[in-house]
Each structure stands twice: as structure tokens, then as C-alpha cells.
Amino acid sequence: MIFNYLRTICAIALLCFAFNPALAQPHRLLTVNDFQGAPQPNGRGVIAYTNCTIDFKYQASRGDGNYILHANVRLSMNNDKSWIDRSRITSYEQLTEILKHEQGHYTIAYLEQQEVLRAIERTRFTANYQYEAMNIFNRIDAKYKQLNSNYDQDTHHMVDKQQQRSWDIYFAKRLQFMPENASL
């Protein structure tokens, strides 16, 4: 009886995975508690650092002469590698501005995750799917690494308040008008 119950649960889980090829998580707001790492002493004036990882895993299934990838693209905020130098914070307002700037770095990683999911979802792969999938990931990853660099350069690591406001508006618009993944 228990064996049949477990087999049914596993079958339902597999069906959910099969009919939901792209799995994602929602965008979230960072808090000061997300920054548990030790501040870097040679931070070149940087008061905070956000470290995110995008884990890209997939399974392929063959159908109609091509392959479909069932992807799991997981975005992780690495709390132990992310830090805020609290000794240099002089006010609640400054902390709020720092968190807003670091939120931008997290949002860039989130936008990358979502674009990878959409690209994998709409691509029909050949038997060379491993190379094709990594090519898609690497192309999108390079684009967002450049965006991350542009963000810090334009805002001078949040010092340029006008540029920071422009980027905040940009992020809000990107999130507001983000295309939905068909399977979400």
C-alpha cells in the first residue's frame, strides 16, 4: 500500500516536471540580513558587495526529431560571500541607499536567470544540445556581466545619485514588463 502511494507521488512529480520544462523562482528584495560575509579590507572604497550564482541544470528529452531541455536555472544569493561594511555606515538613509544599489546587482542576476529560462524554453535543440545549451548560457551570461559592470561604472558604485535613480527606473520597468515564461 505504501509502495503504491510513493510510486503515485513520484509519478505526479515527474509529470509536473515534464509539463513544466522551465523552473524559476520569484524576484525578491534584499535585506541587510542577506549580507553575512566579512567585508574585504582592500575593497577600493566599495562599501558593499553582492555575490550571486546562477546554477544551470537540465535534462533533455527527444521528440519530433529534436530535443527539448527541461531546465532548472537557480539563482542563489550567496550570503556568506556578500557583505556590507557596517563600520562605514553612518545613517539609516545611507544603509537604505546601499541596499537599493545592491538590489540592482541582484536584479541583474535575476534578469539573467529569466532570460536563460526563456531562451532555453523557446529553443528546439539538435543532438548537439549540450554545446548549444552552454552556448546560450555563455552568451547571456556575458551580456549580464557587462550590464553589471556598466551599472557600477555609471553609478560610480551608487555615488552618482542621478545615475542611480536612472538605473532604479530601468530595473523597475524591466521587471514590470518582463515577458512571462510560458510554463510559469
Side-chain angles (χ1 to χ4, degrees):
M1 178 70 177
I2 292 176
F3 179 72
N4 286 337
Y5 178 73
L6 287 175
R7 193 165 52 182
T8 302
I9 295 294
C10 289
I12 290 170
L14 285 173
L15 281 174
C16 289
F17 185 70
F19 292 114
N20 189 7
L23 301 174
Q25 62 226 62
H27 183 261
R28 70 180 188 87
L29 295 178
L30 300 181
T31 70
V32 72
N33 296 326
D34 288 311
F35 299 86
Q36 300 298 318
Q40 299 299 311
N42 187 14
R44 291 174 276 134
V46 176
I47 200 165
Y49 173 72
T50 299
N51 184 292
C52 295
T53 303
I54 296 179
D55 185 36
F56 175 50
K57 294 180 183 177
Y58 59 86
Q59 290 183 321
S61 61
R62 187 175 167 95
D64 296 334
N66 55 33
Y67 289 82
I68 297 172
L69 298 189
H70 305 277
N72 183 354
V73 183
R74 183 169 184 77
L75 170 60
S76 299
M77 170 73 180
N78 301 316
N79 301 39
D80 58 330
K81 295 180 182 176
S82 300
W83 53 267
I84 293 177
D85 188 348
R86 290 167 176 82
S87 70
R88 295 174 49 202
I89 297 173
T90 58
S91 68
Y92 178 76
E93 291 76 23
Q94 183 186 21
L95 178 60
T96 301
E97 292 299 315
I98 291 166
L99 284 174
K100 187 188 320 178
H101 178 78
E102 295 308 310
Q103 182 69 46
H105 290 294
Y106 177 83
T107 299
I108 289 169
Y110 177 79
L111 293 170
E112 177 179 351
Q113 175 209 32
Q114 296 300 301
E115 187 168 331
V116 169
L117 283 168
R118 285 190 308 277
I120 294 297
E121 187 175 281
R122 68 175 175 253
T123 302
R124 296 300 168 241
F125 297 87
T126 69
N128 198 13
Y129 63 84
Q130 292 170 325
Y131 172 79
E132 295 163 348
M134 286 313 299
N135 204 22
I136 288 171
F137 179 81
N138 290 336
R139 177 182 47 81
I140 293 170
D141 187 54
K143 171 184 167 181
Y144 283 93
K145 279 182 178 165
Q146 183 62 54
L147 186 65
N148 210 23
S149 177
N150 293 347
Y151 175 54
D152 269 340
Q153 286 177 355
D154 286 352
T155 64
H156 299 282
H157 297 276
M158 82 163 213
V159 173
D160 186 330
K161 303 293 185 206
Q162 184 175 352
Q163 281 298 96
Q164 183 65 52
R165 276 191 298 278
S166 294
W167 278 91
D168 294 342
I169 292 167
Y170 169 79
F171 293 138
K173 295 278 187 205
R174 286 284 307 269
L175 291 170
Q176 180 182 2
F177 296 110
M178 178 178 293
E180 289 187 25
N181 293 322
S183 62
L184 295 181

